[in-house]
Amino acid sequence: MSSMVRFTLDGREASAPEGELLVHAAARHGVFIPTLCHDDKLDPYGGCRMCVVGVEGSPRPLPACATRVAEGMVVSTNSNVPAFRKTLTEMLLAEHLDPNPGGRPNELTDLAADLDAEAPFILPDAKRKEYEDRNRLMGYTPDACILCNRCVRYTQEVMQCSALSLEGRGPHARIVPTWERSWLDTECELCGGCLSVCPTGAIFEKFLEGTEQPERELVKTKTTCTFCGVGCQLDLNVDPETNRIVKVTSEPHYVSNEGNLCVKGRFAFNFVHHPDRLTKPMVRREDGELHETSWEDALQVAADGLNRVKAEHGPQAIGFLASARLTMEENFLIQKLARSVVGTNSIHSCEAT
Amino acid sequence: MDNLGRIRREIGPVTPELSDALADHMNIRRGEVHEVVSFYSFLEVPADAVRVCIGPVCDCLGAKDLLAREQENANGVPVLGVECLGHCDIAPVLMRGDVVEPDVTRRTNTGSSLGLEQADQTLAEYEARGGLAVLRNLPAKEKIVEELKASGLTGYGGAGFPTGLKWEAVAKEPAPRYVVVNADEGEPGTIKDRYVMELRPHLMLEGTLIAMDFAEATEGFIYLREEYATARARLEQALEELRAAGVLDGRSLELVIGAGAYICGEETAMLESMEGRRGMPRLKPPFPSQVGYLGRPTLINNVETLAHIPAILRDGGEAWPRVRLWSVTGAVTAPGCYEAPLDVTPRQLIDDYAGGATEEIGAVVPGGAASGILPPAALDVPLTRESLREWNAGPGSAALQVFPASYSPLRLLAETMRFFAEESCQKCTPCRIGNRGMHHLVEELANGEAAMTREQAEEWLDAMAATSICGLGQGAPFPMRNAFTHWPELFEPLGEPAIK
Amino acid sequence: MIGSNTTEAHPVLALRMKKAARKGATIVVADPRKIWLTKLAKRHLQLRPGSDVWLVNAMMHVILKEGLQDEEYIREHTEDFEAVAEVVSRYTPEEAEKVTGVPAADIVATAREYATEKHAAVFYTLGITEHACAVDNIWSLSNLVLMTGHLGYESTGLNALRGQNNVQGLNDAGANPAYFPGYQPADSAEIRQKFSEAWGVEVPETPGYRLDQIMSGLHDGRIRALYLIGENPAQTEPNAHHVMEGLEHVDFLITQDLFLNDMTERLADVVFPASSFAEKDGTFTNTERRVNRVRKALPCPGEAREDWQIVVDMAKAMGGNWPEYRTPEDAWNEFADLAPFWTGIRYDRIEEVGLQWPCTDRDHPGTPYLHAPSPSRPNGKGKFYPVEYQPPIEQPDSEYPFVLSTGRTLYHYNSATMTMREEGVVQKQEDPFVEMHPDDAAALGVQDGDWVRLVSRRGELEARAAVGERVYPGLVWMALHFAQAKVNWLTHDVGDPLIGTPEYKTSAIRIEPVGSALKPAAR
C-alpha cells in the first residue's frame, strides 16, 4: 500500500495516500472541484481545465484531475481559481449550441447554473455537421458535444476498439464515429460505454425518444444482469407511468463491472416488454391445439399429468430440466419439487458443459 | 507518420479505405489512424496540390489575391490557403507540389558563428571548412556543459531555455536516451532554420551528433515540417554522405516528416506526432528531459541552436559572439535571414541588415505570432528578453516582421488570432475556444460591433494565459494585450478596461 | 486464455483483461480461431479443435524438462505427481506441433512464460469443456496449474468463466442429479437423511438421470414426462433433430417460459407463462461465486407469474406438503440453512455487494480465492490425473471434409429468444452465418455473404458465408443462436463418457454452394 503524505489545501493541513489524484484528495477533505473531462475509468486527461487549482511552485495552475498529491504540496482552490472556472464555463457555453437535447442531464449547464456563467456570444463557427445513423440503439447530437473526449477515450482505453474518433483540430475538431460511418460499420460493439460517460447527453440511447419523462424522474432498481455469468450490476430505469424499462445504467462503484456494460446488458431488454410474451397459461386440448386457460386449470392439468405418469411408470419416468436463467431460489425450489414431491433425482439442465 | 506520408506520396491522398488498410496492416485501431489523418492538414490532400501561404507577411503583401487567382485557374488541382510556409522573404509565396514560387532567393550576411554566407554543397566542402573536427575530438561531458553555460546559448526555437542546463538535466536521467531535432519551424515569419538546413545541413547534423554523443543516445530523430522539401532533400543528401563516410556508424539518425500542423513545433506535441499520434501536447510536468520519446529521457533542440554548438565548442563558450539568426521580412527592401547580436534593435535590423523599410512602418512583430505586436515607438528597443519584457513581448523565434502603416493592426490581429484558432490542437478549452472567441471579437470590432466587454475579454485572455496546456494558448494573449495597450482607440466599443 | 472467446462471451470481464494488457500483462490465446483477444495477445496458439490435451501436456513436458515446476508446492500440496510426469514425458513439443498445428517453439515459449511468472492464470470456457474429452481437458489444465503452484492467491488459478447468468447458482442450488443443494452428494445416505428430515418426506435414493441420459431416455421410454423450465433442448442440445423426435415421444410435456417456440408450440401439453429477471426478487451467482441480488423492477405482464411462485403452486397442486414461501428470501434461507458453504450469506448482507461462497457463518467475509492455503480436497492435496490424448469422435473424411466448431457471439444469447427481439442488436447480426477461410471459399466458389448449405450426417442448414481469416482452412465455425438454422441439427451427440457433455466443438460436415446471395425463404 502507498504511504500517506501531508499537504496543504486552502490553508488547512490535509493528508492523502501518496499519488492520489488531487481531485479525489480534495473531495475527501470536503473541497469539491468540478470536472468535465475526467472519468475515473479513464486515464487522466486534463483537457477541459475546469479543475485547475493553484499549486505553490508551479508557474501556472494545474489540473486537479491529472495532478497527484505529493508530500508538502500547497494547494489553493480559492484565489483566482473560481474566476478561471467561470470563464472556462463561459467559453464552453460559447460553442454549446444544444445544451439540452432530449431533456437529458447536462453537467455543463448544471455547472453554469452553479457558477452563474453565461456565454457572451455563440461562436459563428459553433455549428457542427449533423450526424444521422441507421443504427437503432445510439444517437448523437454533435451540437451538444463539448469535446471532453470521454467517449473516444472510453473506446480506446476501456473497450480498446475503434468506434469513435476525435477528428480534426482547431474549430474543425469534432467527435464522430470513425470516418463518419454508421456505428454499425465501425468496429463498435454497441456497448454504449460512450454514452454512459458523456457529460452532456450528446450521445444517447435512441429509445429514450420513446418516453416523456425527463431522465431524472425515472425510477432506478439495482439488479443483476440476466445475460452472461459475469454478474454485472446494473440499474433498470423504469418510467413509473408506463411501467416500462426506458434505459439501463450502471455506476462506477458497482462490483464486478465497475459501471461497464455490454451491448446485451445495456440494450437488449426489450424482450421483457415484447408482445410475444406469454401472458396466460395454456393447455393442449383434445383438438391438439394450445388454448389459454386459468391458472387453476393449468396447474391441475399439469399436476394430474405428472401424477398420472408417476402412477403408471414411477417417479424415474419424470425428468426436470431447470435453467440458468432462473434465480438460485427458483432452482432450489425446482429441485425440491423433483426430489420431495415427484420423488426423482432426475433434475438437470443444459449446464452439463 | 512515415507510412501515412508514403501513402500520400506514392498512392495518393489518404482515403478512409487507405487509412483502414494501414490500420489493419499495423494492427492498430482504425479510429486511431482516422484521428491522426484528420489532425494534419495535408494527408488528405494530393501531393501536387497548390498551397498558397496566407501567413501575416504574405497577407500584407497580397496573399489573398494570389489565392483567389490560383483558385480561379486551378484546373482541377486543389488550391489551399495554408499557414506560414516559412518563405516570407519571397512573399507572397506558394508551393505547387514541392516547388516554391517565386524562385527561392536567400539573403544573408557574413556572420561570426554559423557562416551561412557560404553554402556547403557536399560533406567534403563542409570538412574543408573544418567541419566534423569538433565531433571527432569531443571534449568531456562536464566540459561541454561548462562551455554551453559559458556561451549563454539558449533555445532559439522560441522558448529560450538555457541549453547548458537542458543538456545537463538530460545527462542526469537514466539511459536509454534519445535526441530529437526540432525542425518543425512553423512560427509565422520564421525562416531561419530553413536557411540553416538548406545552406549548411552538415553543420546542423554535426551539432546533432555532438548532442547524441553527449547524451549517449544511439538513436536520434529530426522532425522536419513537410513543407520544407528543399531542406529535406539537403538533409537526406547530407545524411547519406555522413553514412557513407562512416560518421553515423553505431548510430541511427532518421528524418521524421510532419504533415502540416503548427502545434507539432511544441516539443511534446512533436513527440506525440513522432509516436504516430495526433500532435496534442502532453501535460507537463513531466518534461521531455525526463519522460520524452517512447517514455525515455529525450534531449530536444532547435535546428539553429544545434548549429551554433560546433562553433561554441571549437572556440569556447566565452569567446562565442552571442548571436542569433534574425528573420527580417515584410515591408523591407532586402528580406532575409541575418546573423546579428541578441541586443539588436528592430531599426538596426531593418536599416543595417535588410536595406531599409519600403513604406512607413505601422507595426512590427518581434519574434513570431505569440511574441507580441509593437508600435513604431518600439523600433529602438533592443530585442532582448529583458528589454522586451517591459513591452509585454518577447524575442520568440527572432522573426522580425515589418508591417506597413497601410496594413491595419486590426487585420494583423485578426489574422494572428485566426491562425491560433486554426492551429489549436483543440484539446484544452481556453485554447480551442479562447482563440476563436478573440478572433470573433476582433472581426466584430472591424464591423464596429462589441462581442463582449473589455473586462470580459481580459478575463478570457487571463484564463487562456494561465490555464492553457501549452505555449500556443498561453502565448496567444500577448498580441491582444499589446494591441489593447498600443492601439486603445480600436477597442473603445468594448468599454472600459478592467481595473486590476 | 484457452477455449474462451472472452470479448464475445464475457464482454465485461474481458475489459479486465484488456486493462491488464494495457498495464503490460502478457496474454497468450490458445484458440482454433483468430478471436478478438489475439489482437492484444503476445502469441496466438491456433490449435486444432480437440487437441488441447496435446498442447497442455506438451507445455508440462517443457516445464518438467527444464525444471520449471514448483517442487515445494508439488511436495507439500499435491499427490500422484509422478504419474503425470511419466505421461507427459512422451508429449514432446515437436510431436505436439504435428497434432495441434501449433509451432513447437510457441509451445516452449508459452510454457516458460507461464511457469516462471508468479501471477499467471489460466482462463477457459466452453472451448475446453464442449468436447467428448471434456474431463481430460480439465484434468490436464489442472495438472499444469498444480505443477507450477499457480493456485490459491490472486491472479492465478484455473478459472472457468461460467457462461450463463446463473449457471453457477443453478448447480449450487442442487439442480443436478448427483448433488443435493450445496454440492452435498445424492449418493450419501447421511445427506439424504439430512434432507429427508428437513423436508419431512423421504427423498429418493435411486440415482437421477443426467441431461444426456434424460435425452436418450426420451427415445427408449425411460422418460415419459418432462418439465422444461426456460430451456429449449431442441435448439441447444446436440443432434437437435434427434432431440425433437425424442420430445415427440414423450407422454406429457410441461414448459415454463417467456415465449412459445417452434417446439413448445407443437409439443407442450401445458405452458406456464413465466417471469423475466426484471419481474422478481432473488439471486444470481456469477462466475466468481459471488451471490448477487436480483430485484423486482416491474410486475409480470398479464397473468404471467414469477417462476418460484409457479413451482410452489405446482408443489401444492401435486399434493406436496411445503411450508409457506412468502418471498424468494424464504427459499434462500431454507437453502442457506441446509448448505454449509452458503450459511453465512443472507439477503441483508448482500444488499450493496454480493458475497463469494464459501461463507460459512454470518461473520465470514466470503472467499475470493479458492484452494488457499492448500487445495480444497479432504486431505488438502491437489490430485494429479495423468491424461492421454483422445482424438475427437468425428473426424473429417472425403464425404464430410470440414471440421465444424460452434460457439456464441457478442450480439446474441443462447437460443436468442431474447436478443432476436431487440431490433438494434439484430441489425448487427440477423442472418445465420458460417465463418470459413478464403481458400475454402475460393475452392467452393463462394463469395463473402453468399448462402451456403452445411450438411452433416444428422442434418443440414443454410447460412451465409462469412469469409475471412478468423478460421484456418478446413475449419468452419458457426454460432448456435439461429432458430431458422440450428447448428445443433448438425452436431453429434456422443459426449464425455464420465459427465456426458456434448462435443459441440467438433463435427464433420460438408459445404455446398447454394448459388445465391439472396436470402432463402423462411423454413
Side-chain angles (χ1 to χ4, degrees), chain A residues 43 134-137 157-160 184 186-190 221-233 236 238 243 245 255-258 260-264 267-274 276-284 290 295 298-299 301-303 305-309 313 316-337 339-353, chain C residues 9 11-12 15-16 18 22 36 40 129-130 162-167 169-171 173-177 179-181 199 201 204 206-211 222-231 252 257-259 264-274 277 279-280 282-288 290 292-295 298 301 303-305 307-308 310-311 315 317-318 322 325 328 332 334-335 347 352 410-411 413 418 421-424 427-428 501:
Chain A
D43 291 349
R134 68 180 200 278
N135 98 78
R136 292 177 195 165
L137 300 179
E157 297 172 20
V158 179
M159 286 299 287
Q160 300 185 24
L184 296 172
T186 69
E187 291 164 22
C188 175
E189 296 181 359
L190 302 173
T221 302
K222 185 182 173 189
T223 190
T224 303
C225 182
T226 188
F227 290 101
C228 80
V230 176
C232 293
Q233 299 297 290
L236 299 175
V238 173
N243 250 331
I245 303 171
V255 177
S256 318
N257 52 314
E258 301 171 323
N260 302 305
L261 294 172
C262 77
V263 56
K264 295 191 288 287
F267 291 118
F269 54 78
N270 277 336
F271 75 91
V272 169
H273 303 299
H274 201 279
D276 290 352
R277 275 287 297 272
L278 293 169
T279 56
K280 270 174 123 22
M282 292 190 281
V283 298
R284 195 171 298 279
L290 285 171
W295 270 103
L299 286 163
V301 173
L306 292 187
N307 280 334
R308 189 180 66 244
V309 171
H313 302 284
Q316 278 300 91
I318 301 174
F320 285 78
L321 289 185
S323 173
R325 320 311 331 287
L326 303 186
T327 62
M328 286 280 289
E329 292 76 1
E330 288 163 344
N331 281 304
F332 172 77
L333 292 172
I334 292 161
Q335 64 84 34
K336 183 173 175 181
L337 179 70
R339 288 182 162 122
S340 82
V341 179
V342 173
T344 177
N345 281 312
S346 299
I347 161 79
H348 213 182
S349 71
C350 74
E351 66 38 276
T353 49
Chain C
V12 175
L15 298 183
R16 297 290 188 95
K18 293 176 183 180
R22 233 176 141 241
W36 192 95
L40 302 186
T129 50
E130 288 182 350
R162 308 307 307 258
Q164 300 188 40
N165 56 322
N166 195 33
V167 64
L170 167 81
N171 282 296
N176 187 306
Y179 295 106
F180 277 74
W199 290 343
V201 55
T206 315
Y209 297 129
R210 295 187 312 248
L211 173 69
R222 279 179 289 125
I223 295 291
R224 298 296 184 126
L226 198 56
Y227 190 164
L228 286 179
I229 304 175
E231 294 242 344
F252 195 69
D257 216 327
L258 303 181
F259 303 103
T264 54
E265 192 160 11
R266 204 151 67 75
L267 299 179
D269 292 290
V270 180
V271 177
F272 292 138
F277 79 119
E279 295 151 2
K280 59 198 172 191
T283 58
F284 292 155
T285 301
N286 77 352
T287 189
E288 50 176 355
R290 190 185 298 280
N292 286 315
R293 281 283 275 116
V294 174
R295 291 184 182 86
L298 299 167
E303 293 178 31
R305 280 188 189 172
D307 294 73
W308 66 274
I310 300 173
V311 177
M318 289 187 73
W322 282 11
Y325 295 96
W332 174 269
E334 181 178 324
F335 163 72
Y347 276 22
E352 292 298 323
L410 173 64
Y411 297 100
Y413 189 77
M418 299 187 293
R421 289 182 167 88
E422 189 65 57
E423 285 183 350
Q427 268 188 312
K428 194 79 188 179
T501 55

Side-chain angles (χ1 to χ4, degrees), chain B residues 284-328:
Chain B
K284 285 168 287 202
F287 293 92
S289 56
Q290 304 157 298
V291 180
Y293 183 58
L294 301 179
R296 302 304 312 170
T298 302
L299 178 58
I300 304 177
N301 280 122
N302 162 263
V303 168
E304 184 198 345
T305 311
L306 287 167
H308 285 295
I309 284 174
I312 291 171
L313 296 182
R314 183 187 62 220
D315 302 338
E318 287 294 341
W320 186 64
R322 303 202 174 207
V323 290
R324 66 186 300 182
L325 282 175
W326 297 89
S327 312
V328 187

Side-chain angles (χ1 to χ4, degrees), chain C residues 208-499:
Chain C
Y209 297 129
R210 295 187 312 248
L211 173 69
D212 57 316
Q213 295 164 330
I214 291 174
M215 289 296 131
S216 61
L218 298 173
H219 290 274
D220 61 24
R222 279 179 289 125
I223 295 291
R224 298 296 184 126
L226 198 56
Y227 190 164
L228 286 179
I229 304 175
E231 294 242 344
N232 180 10
Q235 176 154 359
T236 57
E237 292 309 308
N239 199 358
H241 285 311
H242 190 64
V243 171
M244 194 69 178
E245 283 162 28
L247 289 166
E248 284 165 4
H249 292 150
V250 83
D251 292 350
F252 195 69
L253 180 64
I254 305 172
T255 69
Q256 178 171 324
D257 216 327
L258 303 181
F259 303 103
L260 277 184
N261 57 48
D262 48 0
M263 184 276 287
T264 54
E265 192 160 11
R266 204 151 67 75
L267 299 179
D269 292 290
V270 180
V271 177
F272 292 138
S275 54
S276 77
F277 79 119
E279 295 151 2
K280 59 198 172 191
D281 285 300
T283 58
F284 292 155
T285 301
N286 77 352
T287 189
E288 50 176 355
R289 291 168 283 101
R290 190 185 298 280
V291 181
N292 286 315
R293 281 283 275 116
V294 174
R295 291 184 182 86
K296 187 179 171 88
L298 299 167
C300 292
E303 293 178 31
R305 280 188 189 172
E306 297 171 35
D307 294 73
W308 66 274
Q309 187 66 55
I310 300 173
V311 177
V312 168
D313 292 344
M314 267 302 283
K316 197 179 289 173
M318 289 187 73
N321 183 23
W322 282 11
E324 190 193 352
Y325 295 96
R326 289 157 304 164
T327 63
E329 189 174 3
D330 290 341
W332 174 269
N333 286 336
E334 181 178 324
F335 163 72
D337 287 343
L338 287 165
F341 279 179
W342 287 261
T343 299
I345 303 178
R346 303 290 161 151
Y347 276 22
D348 61 337
R349 289 189 69 194
I350 55 172
E351 271 301 307
E352 292 298 323
V353 181
L355 281 165
Q356 288 169 283
W357 65 262
C359 177
T360 47
D361 61 61
R362 284 201 68 103
D363 299 321
H364 192 293
T367 309
Y369 313 111
L370 291 178
H371 310 297
S374 52
S376 305
R377 288 180 72 236
N379 64 359
K381 302 266 190 200
K383 185 167 165 56
F384 281 97
Y385 287 90
V387 174
E388 298 276 10
Y389 168 71
Q390 304 293 335
I393 300 294
E394 193 173 63
Q395 301 287 346
D397 54 27
S398 56
E399 198 180 347
Y400 299 99
F402 287 95
V403 175
L404 167 72
S405 190
T406 74
R408 290 163 165 75
T409 75
L410 173 64
Y411 297 100
H412 290 298
Y413 189 77
N414 286 1
S415 53
T417 57
M418 299 187 293
T419 47
M420 279 295 179
R421 289 182 167 88
E422 189 65 57
E423 285 183 350
V425 173
V426 171
Q427 268 188 312
K428 194 79 188 179
Q429 216 168 62
E430 182 174 11
D431 293 330
F433 63 94
V434 55
E435 292 181 354
M436 65 171 73
H437 191 274
D439 293 354
D440 290 335
L444 290 163
V446 166
Q447 307 278 323
D448 185 50
D450 283 358
W451 287 88
V452 292
R453 185 175 299 117
L454 275 57
V455 185
S456 82
R457 291 182 175 84
R458 295 153 294 275
E460 62 176 72
L461 57 81
E462 285 176 15
R464 281 189 193 275
V467 179
E469 296 187 358
R470 293 244 299 179
V471 289
Y472 58 79
L475 175 69
V476 298
W477 183 93
M478 193 171 162
L480 66 82
H481 308 303
F482 303 96
Q484 71 275 42
K486 298 179 172 68
V487 76
N488 284 319
W489 290 335
L490 308 181
T491 53
H492 71 78
D493 54 1
V494 182
D496 185 277
L498 203 61
I499 57 168

